[in-house]
């Protein structure tokens, strides 16, 4: 397989891996929202002394689980690597070296 096509195959693998992390992240977010309770408060909205509507606040939001950050980071990292691989494949396809591709 030519070097550029091999790099594109690597990019596809990274995109597939990122998709798996994104699916996992979405599932974990859904579970987080289902099991956490939120305290919501409403207050009248007063602007320049005139009441108009209401302000809805989320009081005491539950802490976001640290593993969500790690899943998101893995997805973002793999998307970035796939982009790098594709940029290198384009450089090779156009007869350039990859030493200055970033």
């Amino acid at each position: 397989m030519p070097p550029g096509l091999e790099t594109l195959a690597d990019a596809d693998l990274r995109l597939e891996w990122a998709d798996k992390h994104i699916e996992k992240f979405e599932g974990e977010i859904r579970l987080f929202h289902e099991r956490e309770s939120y305290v919501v408060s409403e207050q009248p909205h007063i602007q320049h002394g005139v009441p108009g509507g209401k302000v809805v606040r989320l009081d005491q939001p539950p802490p976001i689980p640290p593993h969500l950050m790690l899943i998101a980071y893995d997805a973002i990292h793999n998307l970035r690597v796939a982009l790098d691989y594709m940029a290198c494949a384009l450089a090779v396809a156009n007869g350039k070296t990859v030493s200055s591709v970033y």
Side-chain angles (χ1 to χ4, degrees), residues 26-42:
E26 289 172 343
E28 291 288 329
I29 287 288
R30 224 177 353 267
L31 288 173
F32 173 72
H33 286 298
E34 288 171 1
R35 73 178 165 247
E36 293 299 331
S37 59
Y38 299 92
V39 177
V40 178
S41 66
E42 295 182 13

Side-chain angles (χ1 to χ4, degrees), residues 44-47 50-55:
H45 178 67
I46 300 173
Q47 189 172 12
V50 179
K54 60 184 173 183
V55 175

Side-chain angles (χ1 to χ4, degrees), residues 18-86:
D19 281 342
K20 290 180 182 186
H21 284 297
I22 291 167
E23 287 175 19
K24 181 167 180 61
F25 183 79
E26 289 172 343
E28 291 288 329
I29 287 288
R30 224 177 353 267
L31 288 173
F32 173 72
H33 286 298
E34 288 171 1
R35 73 178 165 247
E36 293 299 331
S37 59
Y38 299 92
V39 177
V40 178
S41 66
E42 295 182 13
Q43 300 171 344
H45 178 67
I46 300 173
Q47 189 172 12
H48 306 294
V50 179
K54 60 184 173 183
V55 175
V56 178
R57 287 183 27 168
L58 180 64
D59 294 322
Q60 304 168 359
I64 296 173
H67 74 280
L68 288 179
M69 177 187 67
L70 297 175
I71 297 169
Y73 174 79
D74 283 343
I76 292 166
H77 173 72
N78 281 285
L79 290 170
R80 173 58 198 261
V81 170
L83 183 62
D84 288 343
Y85 285 167
M86 287 186 276

